[in-house]
Amino acid sequence: MTAPREEVLLRHGNATRVAHWAVAIAFVALFLSGLALFHPFFFWISALFGGGPFLRILHPFAGVALVLVFYPYAAAHLRDNRWLPVDGRWVRNMGAYMRNEHPDVGETHKYNAGQKLMYWSMIPILALLLLTGLLVWQPWIAPHVPAGVRRAAGLLHAVGAFVMFVGIGIHVYAAIWTKGSIDAMIRGTVSGAWARFHHPAWYREMTGREPR
Amino acid sequence: MALQSLDVRNVSARTSPPPSARTTLEVAKLIDVSRCIGCKACQSACMEWNDLRDEIGVNAGAYTNPPDLSDQSWTLMRFTEEEIDGQLRWLILKEGCLHCAEPGCLKACPAPGAIVQYASGIVDFHEEDCIGCGDCIAGCPFDIPRLSRRDSKVYKCTLCSDRVAVGLEPACVKTCPTMAISFGSKTDMRFAAEERLPDLRERGFAHAAVYDPPGVGGTHVLYVLPHGDRPEAYGLPRDPRLGGVLRLWRSGTARTAGVVTLFSVLVAGILHYMRRGPLEVPPERPGGKEA
Ligand code: HEM
Ligand code: HEM
Ligand code: SF4
């Protein structure tokens, strides 16, 4: 049966979109402020935050805000990110998928395996960043933490932040690369054709119609 | 160039080396603990010269007063009672920054210009560039810098960099009534310290030693310790070092490699988009099959 033209599906509800962009804005603040602290090459970024001291004050609050929004968001979308047998097929065809060769990756549900890997990697990385960030937080917590622990926490925070920079960098690129997905996160909707092509199993769940 | 006495050797979070053509005399302060009577004149002189006034606290049961270094107390007489070779000893240490040749504070600092090491060996905090992260405290093997609760900046002994710059000795040196503290070139101070040891050994301090720990490249504050085999008894670490964790955390090479990797990811993204184009839904034939 041919699907009606101009078919539109709701992909991300209002709460999801607001939460996601709150996380994204907090991340941009953390990325820029973290980068200024990460390497003196980027210290000029502190001017965007009204100088080094205020950047240093703001950063941990932005981090805590990100974590407070991210984990409820992630919990609400846990079901859609469970690992399914079909996901192995996406992983095996990942090279061809990225070369834009449209390999047969099986019937993807709401999120493909790449998205799920991003989702699951962020859960421990943000836990690490939260824990280590809290340990070096002046003037509240750090004074009660031994110097050796703070050095180790500082090191792990920098490593964790680096991994997150690369991970979210790939996430953002994937969003730009996959036409229609940023619209999906802004307006909440995708076309039926988009859903059939990228997430056929999700299309079936949503509409009860066959994707092909 | 400005005052030669203010020539710079190293600056926190720098991307290029400071001017270094000119060499300057390295200075040092020598604290002969065996001559110190614990009168705290140096502690007062430090407050006077630097216009510092600590809070009036409570007696904690020892002569050490105030109980710890703070943003207002950059030097402190630390009194300890220790049993050494079966005898009770009353030890007095003038605590403060040691002005390490390889300062952990400077290594740990992420704020450009907040910590400066002069060519003279003095390590100075420039609070106007301090961002208040407190990493220098974690980096210092001697637990010296203190974060002010008032302005969230760190403070410590400057070795009176302002006095030394114009050819004066530090305030504590000037004031010491027993001449337990002296000031001069590092070479001379090291020599004077060594010269003191035979005398002390003769007087029964068989383990008298100079404290100039090599783990931090030596320091520009030297101690003559009568019980030199037991620096911990005075509150000094036996073998202070920067340590592998700090070196890895603040490794300029690792951080630069990280930044290069981030740029590579960005370039890879641009090239990928140019070469492979976007992932778009292909036009559908009637029946929904891919064209
Ligand atoms: C989750 C709560 C977070 C807290 C409480 C927190 C706190 C802090 C604090 C206090 C610093 C201190 C500066 C220092 O010690 O040098 C710092 C540094 C830093 N943060 Fe965070 N942060 C958090 C999350 C994040 C996140 C999510 C990122 C990355 C996306 C990040 C990236 C960085 C970076 C790159 C640095 C510089 C570290 C270095 O150069 O060693 N932080 N953070
Ligand atoms: C900074 C800019 C960001 C942009 C442009 C962006 C873009 C997007 C887009 C377009 C989607 C929709 C994908 C789809 O509908 O299939 C999405 C989903 C998602 N994003 Fe982001 N994002 C950003 C930052 C972040 C950050 C910082 C996080 C988490 C720390 C994050 C976590 C997620 C999650 C969990 C999903 C849902 C996918 C899943 O649950 O598997 N995003 N993002
Ligand atoms: S003693 Fe501590 S504060 Fe002083 S120079 Fe050495 S590391 Fe820095």
Side-chain angles (χ1 to χ4, degrees):
Chain A
M1 187 192 115
T2 311
R5 287 204 163 274
E6 309 288 326
E7 192 185 11
V8 167
L9 275 68
L10 179 67
R11 184 158 171 82
H12 304 294
N14 292 339
T16 302
R17 270 142 55 215
V18 169
H20 177 269
W21 290 120
V23 166
I25 289 168
F27 175 77
V28 171
L30 286 159
F31 174 70
L32 293 175
S33 57
L35 211 52
L37 296 171
F38 185 76
H39 200 288
F41 181 76
F42 290 114
F43 196 75
W44 56 271
I45 294 175
S46 60
L48 302 180
F49 292 84
F54 192 67
L55 172 145
R56 205 271 315 158
I57 290 168
L58 187 75
H59 175 94
F61 287 102
V64 169
L66 184 147
V67 164
L68 287 180
V69 181
F70 174 78
Y71 281 108
Y73 174 96
H77 296 83
L78 188 71
R79 281 176 59 87
D80 292 327
N81 283 288
R82 279 175 311 183
W83 199 257
L84 301 172
V86 64
D87 293 319
R89 186 145 172 196
W90 189 96
V91 172
R92 280 192 299 280
N93 288 290
M94 190 163 77
Y97 186 88
M98 293 197 304
R99 285 192 298 276
N100 214 354
E101 287 164 1
H102 299 190
D104 182 4
V105 293
E107 296 225 324
T108 308
H109 288 254
K110 185 159 182 184
Y111 297 117
N112 67 34
Q115 293 175 299
K116 291 179 184 177
L117 288 173
M118 191 278 301
Y119 172 99
W120 286 110
S121 60
M122 280 309 135
I123 287 171
I125 286 172
L126 278 171
L128 176 78
L129 283 169
L130 176 69
L131 175 73
T132 55
L134 290 178
L135 288 171
V136 298
W137 193 351
Q138 292 278 9
W140 322 111
I141 303 170
H144 311 288
V145 180
V149 176
R150 267 145 72 193
R151 293 179 186 187
L155 173 61
L156 291 174
H157 196 79
V159 171
F162 174 76
V163 173
M164 184 161 175
F165 287 175
V166 174
I168 296 299
I170 294 170
H171 174 66
V172 172
Y173 178 73
I176 297 168
W177 184 57
T178 312
K179 293 298 153 200
S181 69
I182 293 186
D183 275 353
M185 204 33 112
I186 295 173
R187 300 295 308 280
T189 53
V190 293
S191 69
W194 190 94
R196 282 195 299 276
F197 177 63
H198 291 293
H199 302 279
W202 176 66
Y203 177 86
R204 189 184 295 112
E205 284 160 29
M206 292 289 286
T207 62
R209 284 188 290 270
E210 277 308 303
R212 305 181 190 263
Chain B
M1 304 233 312
L3 291 181
Q4 186 173 18
S5 50
L6 293 179
D7 276 2
V8 164
R9 180 186 303 157
N10 205 353
V11 180
S12 56
R14 65 186 163 72
T15 47
S16 60
S20 52
R22 192 156 75 175
T23 45
T24 305
L25 187 75
E26 274 189 46
V27 299
K29 178 165 84 178
L30 171 60
I31 303 172
D32 184 348
V33 170
S34 69
R35 279 193 186 146
C36 172
I37 55 170
C39 71
K40 302 186 190 177
C42 55
Q43 212 177 300
S44 307
C46 179
M47 290 168 59
E48 277 299 312
W49 176 258
N50 292 300
D51 291 316
L52 303 167
R53 294 294 179 273
D54 215 332
E55 277 165 40
I56 297 173
V58 290
N59 189 318
Y63 275 86
T64 311
N65 176 26
D68 194 16
L69 294 171
S70 73
D71 60 328
Q72 295 292 313
S73 296
W74 298 350
T75 188
L76 182 75
M77 309 311 293
R78 170 90 50 203
F79 295 80
T80 26
E81 288 165 27
E82 275 283 322
E83 205 173 288
I84 296 176
D85 302 331
Q87 274 183 309
L88 181 67
R89 296 282 182 173
W90 198 35
L91 306 179
I92 312 170
L93 188 83
K94 174 174 151 52
E95 212 175 77
C97 173
L98 281 89
H99 300 271
C100 311
E102 212 190 323
C105 56
L106 189 149
K107 183 134 191 89
C109 176
I115 303 184
V116 170
Q117 181 181 41
Y118 293 111
S120 64
I122 295 179
V123 179
D124 212 354
F125 287 3
H126 288 189
E127 278 80 8
E128 51 284 15
D129 292 326
C130 170
I131 62 170
C133 71
D135 286 1
C136 54
I137 307 170
C140 173
F142 303 95
D143 184 27
I144 297 299
R146 292 292 182 268
L147 191 75
S148 165
R149 265 171 312 193
R150 233 170 296 174
D151 60 11
S152 267
K153 311 274 181 206
V154 278
Y155 293 91
K156 69 161 189 70
C157 158
T158 66
L159 206 68
C160 284
S161 53
D162 48 351
R163 293 174 57 90
V164 172
V166 293
L168 300 173
E169 73 277 64
C172 56
V173 179
K174 186 167 177 68
T175 205
C176 178
T178 65
M179 293 167 73
I181 322 177
S182 31
F183 182 76
S185 76
K186 165 101 196 214
T187 328
D188 285 355
M189 290 301 109
R190 180 76 216 206
F191 186 76
E194 302 285 355
E195 255 197 335
R196 183 80 182 121
L197 299 180
D199 183 32
L200 283 171
R201 290 190 181 134
E202 204 173 296
R203 279 170 47 195
F205 296 105
H207 303 291
V210 180
Y211 190 77
D212 185 12
V216 293
T219 55
H220 295 87
V221 170
L222 309 175
Y223 289 102
V224 172
L225 300 177
H227 304 285
D229 56 329
R230 302 264 324 266
E232 318 84 6
Y234 296 89
L236 290 169
R238 171 171 292 276
D239 185 18
R241 327 189 140 265
L242 298 200
V245 177
L246 176 62
R247 284 183 199 280
L248 191 58
W249 175 27
R250 291 298 176 189
S251 155
T253 321
R255 280 168 186 265
T256 301
V259 170
V260 169
T261 310
L262 287 180
F263 273 114
S264 311
V265 171
L266 180 68
V267 170
I270 294 168
L271 293 180
H272 178 265
Y273 203 90
M274 287 164 64
R275 176 93 179 79
R276 299 290 169 181
L279 175 57
E280 283 171 317
V281 181
E284 284 180 25
R285 275 202 244 115
K289 265 288 176 197
E290 207 176 291

